[in-house]
């Protein structure tokens, strides 16, 4: 896929951060329709207006709480009725809650919310649009933003890590299913970056040779790899190294290494996005 010109593109978590940047890329490549989903109505309307002012694409926005399976189904039906089938789906919406040890979790609802948005929502949203992608003959893409936390365990983010391990395992399995079932026109890309300077991980620290990633770098790399149909995007190179080391070294040696380079202390001062 050289570009998304003439395609129907849907982005979740589109009001700000990575989602907004992905939507801007779709508009810049003259997608026919760009569909924005977000739970933040005020920010969503503002982003929709900014994108519409750029011209070149029809902009549609829907206030959707992707932690709610029924809301996903309702919004999915509305999109199919008003826009049609989706060619490019960007599962970007995500949250991170808490920065303490697991047993210090005060609000059990945070666990359910994290799993619902980071793990289950990509599955339910993709189910709304993937069957038509498979039936149709045009090139289609599904990209899911997971995390390097889905590759290497990390203290003080156990629930978040668990949610991203689930997202990674599901997304890559769907990729294999599409390949084995003879549907090469639909390709699935899973993106696993470390911390990004979107505000979501304010207070998190970079570690050896791994600074906090720039948002534009992540968006540009992910977008280009998605169009190519790449299976897995891991950013930066140190995350690829840590993943390889985790598979080769004995557990205690691995823990010593990751602790020494700072991975295991990267969330010690995490505060998260300020309300």
């Amino acid at each position: 896929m050289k570009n998304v010109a003439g395609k129907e593109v849907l982005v979740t978590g589109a009001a700000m951060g990575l989602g907004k940047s992905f939507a801007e890329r779709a508009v810049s490549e003259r997608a026919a329709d760009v569909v924005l989903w977000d739970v933040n109505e005020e920010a969503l309307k503002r982003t929709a207006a900014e994108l519409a002012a750029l011209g070149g694409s029809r902009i549609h926005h829907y206030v959707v709480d992707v932690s709610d399976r029924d809301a996903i189904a309702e919004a999915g039906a509305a999109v199919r009725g008003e826009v049609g089938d989706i060619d490019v789906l960007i599962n970007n919406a995500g949250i991170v809650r808490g920065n303490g040890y697991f047993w210090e979790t005060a609000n059990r609802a945070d666990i359910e919310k994290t799993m619902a948005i980071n793990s289950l929502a990509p599955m339910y949203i993709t189910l709304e649009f993937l069957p038509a992608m498979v039936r149709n003959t045009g090139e289609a893409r599904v990209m899911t933003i997971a995390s390097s936390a889905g590759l290497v365990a990390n203290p003080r983010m156990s629930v978040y890590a668990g949610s991203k391990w689930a997202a990674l395992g599901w997304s890559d399995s769907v990729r294999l299913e599409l390949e084995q079932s003879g549907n090469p026109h639909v390709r699935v890309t899973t993106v696993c970056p470390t911390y990004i300077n979107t505000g979501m991980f304010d207070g998190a620290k970079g570690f050896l040779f791994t600074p906090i990633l720039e948002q534009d770098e992540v968006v540009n790399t992910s977008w280009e790899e998605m169009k190519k149909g790449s299976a897995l995007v891991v950013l930066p190179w140190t995350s690829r190294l840590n993943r390889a080391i985790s598979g080769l070294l004995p557990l205690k040696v691995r823990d010593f290494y990751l602790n020494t380079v700072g991975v295991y202390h990267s969330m010690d001062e995490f505060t998260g996005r300020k309300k």
Side-chain angles (χ1 to χ4, degrees):
M1 183 182 290
K2 293 181 179 180
N3 53 55
V4 299
K7 299 283 188 181
E8 319 298 330
V9 180
L10 189 152
V11 184
T12 68
M16 62 184 70
L18 293 182
K20 181 178 180 181
S21 294
F22 284 130
E24 289 171 342
R25 288 297 299 267
V27 172
S28 72
E29 294 186 6
R30 305 187 70 81
D33 294 89
V34 179
V35 182
L36 315 175
W37 282 16
D38 205 288
V39 71
N40 186 331
E41 183 173 6
E42 182 179 348
L44 181 62
K45 287 181 178 179
R46 187 164 55 247
T47 295
E50 291 175 9
L51 294 177
L54 296 175
S57 301
R58 293 180 293 270
I59 307 300
H60 313 263
H61 65 281
Y62 299 80
V63 178
V64 187
D65 178 359
V66 298
S67 70
D68 183 338
R69 182 175 63 181
D70 292 335
I72 291 172
E74 182 179 342
V79 169
R80 290 191 300 275
E82 297 167 13
V83 180
D85 294 334
I86 294 300
D87 304 304
V88 177
L89 171 61
I90 310 296
N91 286 313
N92 166 75
I95 62 167
V96 57
R97 296 281 177 86
N99 67 327
Y101 296 120
F102 179 70
W103 60 87
E104 296 173 339
T105 303
N107 187 354
R108 272 39 172 192
D110 283 348
I111 298 174
E112 296 178 6
K113 197 81 168 179
T114 300
M115 298 303 294
I117 293 175
N118 295 355
S119 305
L120 296 178
M123 300 183 193
Y124 292 135
I125 294 167
T126 302
L127 270 179
E128 292 295 320
F129 305 108
L130 183 58
M133 291 181 181
V134 171
R135 288 194 305 269
N136 298 336
T137 58
E139 282 191 299
R141 298 287 185 269
V142 177
M143 180 166 70
T144 296
I145 307 300
S147 169
S148 287
L151 301 171
V152 177
N154 202 358
R156 296 181 179 270
M157 60 188 318
S158 55
V159 176
Y160 178 81
S163 72
K164 292 301 187 177
W165 283 50
L168 171 60
W170 161 77
S171 181
D172 208 39
S173 293
V174 174
R175 174 187 66 84
L176 292 169
E177 290 173 352
L178 288 165
E179 291 178 1
Q180 290 186 354
S181 61
N183 290 287
H185 63 289
V186 185
R187 297 190 184 181
V188 173
T189 299
T190 313
V191 183
C192 295
T194 53
Y195 308 126
I196 310 169
N197 65 349
T198 60
M200 184 175 176
F201 277 96
D202 281 354
K205 298 182 294 185
F207 38 92
L208 186 65
F209 301 124
T210 309
I212 303 298
L213 294 172
E214 295 294 325
Q215 176 175 311
D216 288 346
E217 174 190 359
V218 175
V219 169
N220 291 339
T221 301
S222 302
W223 187 261
E224 293 304 318
E225 294 300 320
M226 176 272 293
K227 289 190 294 185
K228 292 177 186 176
S230 300
L232 181 64
V233 181
V234 180
L235 300 168
W237 67 270
T238 49
S239 288
R240 296 192 290 274
L241 174 63
N242 291 340
R243 182 187 184 218
I245 286 174
S246 296
L248 294 172
L249 295 179
L251 192 61
K252 289 185 177 180
V253 178
R254 182 205 72 175
D255 285 350
F256 175 79
Y257 166 75
L258 293 177
N259 188 62
T260 300
V261 301
V263 175
Y264 285 176
H265 294 282
S266 60
M267 288 288 284
D268 288 357
E269 299 174 17
F270 168 80
T271 57
R273 191 190 304 276
K274 295 175 178 59
K275 301 290 186 184

